[in-house]
Amino acid sequence: MNTKVWKVDNFGDNLINNPQIVDAAHFLQENEVVALPTETVYGLGGNAESDTAVEKIFAAKGRPSDNPLIIHIANREQLLGFVREIPENAVMLMDKFWPGPLTIIFKKKEGILSDKATAGLDTVGVRMPDHPVALALLEKCGLPIAAPSANSSGKPSPTHAEHVMEDLNGKIAGVLDGGPTGVGVESTVVDCTEGVPVILRPGGVTKEQLENVVGEVRIDPALVDEASQPKSPGMKYKHYAPNAPLFLVAGGMGFLQGLADEKRREGLRVGVLTTEENAAKYDADIVVSCGRRSELETVAADLYDTLRRFNSVGVDIIFSEMFPSDGVGHAIMNRLLKAAGNKVISE
Ligand code: AMP
Ligand code: MG
């Protein structure tokens, strides 16, 4: 399949009639799948009402079929079409965070969305993305769009259209290239079906931000305790992994440098993941600086590109600094631990 690249670099008025967006919307209406920029990462969109379209998403990504997709909408009227009820907590969260990086789990109306999109669950995760290209495309096609991250399953999520092409060229109808995404980590997933909201996946909206709006917010025990069964099926899978084994290092810079030296003496090509503050202080085959530790938002924005960069230079082993787990650091550490398969070396 020839994968089209539609470049959209002018986000001005009347985006809904931009010829690239009109073309991409047409493909969605024909149940083809197209990648689109959102404010978190690039998504791989398909008609959420069509089994055919949803099957194409799972096939292109190689995604396990029990991992449900998030449904993307342009306005709240669409939501009423496929959810059974909208609890008060959810209304407050939508008022504050939509459009934005917050996915809310609702009880699903039967018989409207493809059961494959929701992996047979009686609930559905929904969000309204805060990106002009995504919103224009959703508005134009008029369909609820199922869209997981537009990467091969298991790889780091795509934050540039080039990452999408690396993984999915030839497997999807097209990609709308709207430049790099902003937040850089996926949406926060919050379950509002059972009273107190529960965070199932940390992401672009922090626990503190949610609490400011709805008061008490819980965290799914599976996010802190490996032994519990996650309520979000996707959280059990390996994710975000670079090709070389990645180890998180809980210790000082000297300790990390010592680990790097030891592996280089063994003849391995060693990569170090750090931030701008410390990059010049390490000695390794490649030192990649991922944003600034003093502003964790910049680390989130660069994280997946950094992980992919180690693949393009080719290393045998990667050692990474760790980050504080508060605010957006919660999402950063969640993704890094998954990328590392939970391998942590402590001083
Ligand atoms: P991705 O599409 O890669 O951003 O992953 C979507 C995430 O949302 C996965 O971790 C899913 O398990 C989670 N998710 C989607 N729908 C539901 C749902 N109905 N209940 C719980 N988690 C969900
Ligand atoms: Mg994903």
Side-chain angles (χ1 to χ4, degrees), residues 123-163:
T123 55
V124 56
V126 189
R127 86 177 191 101
M128 191 187 292
D130 187 14
H131 192 292
V133 173
L135 286 172
L137 180 69
L138 289 165
E139 194 83 53
K140 189 73 195 176
C141 73
L143 296 164
I145 293 296
S149 49
N151 52 293
S152 296
S153 226
K155 293 267 179 70
S157 302
T159 50
H160 297 253
E162 292 75 18
H163 298 162

Side-chain angles (χ1 to χ4, degrees), residues 1-6 33-36 44 164 172-176:
M1 177 188 293
N2 174 38
T3 300
K4 285 190 161 190
V5 178
W6 298 283
V33 298
V34 304
L36 60 139
L44 180 59
V164 178
I172 61 175
V175 50
L176 271 165

Side-chain angles (χ1 to χ4, degrees), residues 61 63 148-151 157 186 201 239-240:
K61 283 182 60 81
R63 181 175 173 112
S149 49
N151 52 293
S157 302
E186 296 85 344
R201 174 177 77 178
H239 261 56
Y240 321 115

Side-chain angles (χ1 to χ4, degrees), residues 9 23 96 124 128 195 223 252-253 265:
D9 38 29
D23 201 21
K96 178 73 182 176
V124 56
M128 191 187 292
L223 288 178
M253 292 180 64
R265 278 196 298 273

